[in-house]
Amino acid sequence: MHKIRIDAIHSYLIYPLLAFPLWKENITMLFFVLFSVFNIRSFIITKKVTGIHKVEGWVLFIPFLIVLFSSFLRNEIHENKDALNHAGLFVALPLSFIMAPDYLFDKKKISGYLNFLLYSSLILILAYLLLFFYHNPVNDFFGTKYNSSLFRDFVYEKTIIFSIHPAYFSSVLFLGMAFCVEKIKHTFSLKYLSFIVVFYVFTFLLLSKLNILLMHILLIYALYSTKTITKKSKLISGFVFGILMSLFVVFTPGMFKRIEEIYKSFNTVPSGLAFDSTNIRRAIYTCDFELIQSNYLSGIGYSNIVNDIQRCFQSKYDSSFFEGANYMSHNFFIYTLLGSGIVGLILFLFFIFKTTFFLFRFHSITFQAFAVNTIAMCLIEDYFYRQNGAFFFLLWYLILLRFGAKNNKIENPIL
């Protein structure tokens, strides 16, 4: 009876990890430590680890090993302690999950985990809305400032309870939307359709351009790949969807301004106080590639990335956009190349290839979309450097790794 109670507690401890967007990062780590303690207990009892012997398992160590060996070869272990700390998730999560018991990773559990993701995301959406209207007049919901909406700025900067970046939360919503799409393609459900609508609208409110683009690709693919819908219905649905999308672009607070900003600012450089997210990002990439040109073989070292980019800004731009900010590469591929050189980048590309290939083997729209989103986010953000990005990817990848190892075969866990 005592063992049954402990196992029951253990089975619930994964849920706070799945709801990580709701917590501050240190709270997420506390939940992870507690989950790991129970995993260690399971290992002591069973003497069993699962999944790490497979290539798909040990390949997860690569991002940490890149930073470790690069730091060792450059004799910069101490200087790169922050980079090593951030990459440490690629060791800590795999080691914990390979000790977890098998009963956490069956088909029913994974479906339950994804449904829990939907409801926990809905709770956060409602919390953001309630907090915004509590602290601001209703009219501010439609207000804009500096090519952004007041609501997005509130989510990004002014909530003291939640700390996840809008782009990272929209990636969670994208995974949830992909799951709902896959369920509907199999069997129509008003519940999953409702989640798609809510996540679609809220992603627009977050003004997350990349994930807005990806969710449209996902929805168009889902519509036109469904064999049970006639060609006439697909054309009509596509036309209606196009109109709705256009209306959202025009009427979502700040959305049209952000698109207009890309057109107007892409070929400009920051000058004085005349800067925005578009020309700042271009300035970052300009400095990224300037540093790469003379350092692509060995890199500049992880501890030098922020300072070298800052010096590049100072030498190229007569503007204050970088004052008081510590900009990084905004591209994890470039971050790896600058930190460890071409060899590190090749190893990271191998990591991306193996993990993406593994996710696609499940023949699941949900996890194929997850893989595409991960790569896309790595192209525009220091995605795996940030805890929320690395944790989100590792959590779901390891759930699938353990599911595949438990069943000794690859099959779609959704249907």
Side-chain angles (χ1 to χ4, degrees), residues 167-198:
Y168 290 68
F169 182 44
S170 66
S171 288
V172 177
L173 297 181
F174 182 67
L175 174 62
M177 181 180 287
F179 171 60
C180 293
V181 165
E182 186 162 8
K183 296 293 284 187
I184 287 177
K185 278 176 66 68
H186 185 258
T187 304
F188 179 79
S189 167
L190 188 59
K191 180 186 86 169
Y192 292 120
L193 179 61
S194 300
F195 273 112
I196 289 174
V197 172
V198 171

Side-chain angles (χ1 to χ4, degrees), residues 80 83 288 291 299-311 327-330 334-340 382 385:
N80 290 344
D288 283 345
L291 292 171
I300 60 177
Y302 289 98
S303 62
N304 297 318
I305 292 175
V306 171
N307 290 335
D308 282 15
I309 289 177
Q310 193 82 351
R311 280 191 285 270
Y327 286 106
M328 295 180 66
S329 61
H330 273 63
I334 293 175
Y335 168 80
T336 303
L337 179 58
L338 288 175
S340 58
D382 301 292
Y385 181 83

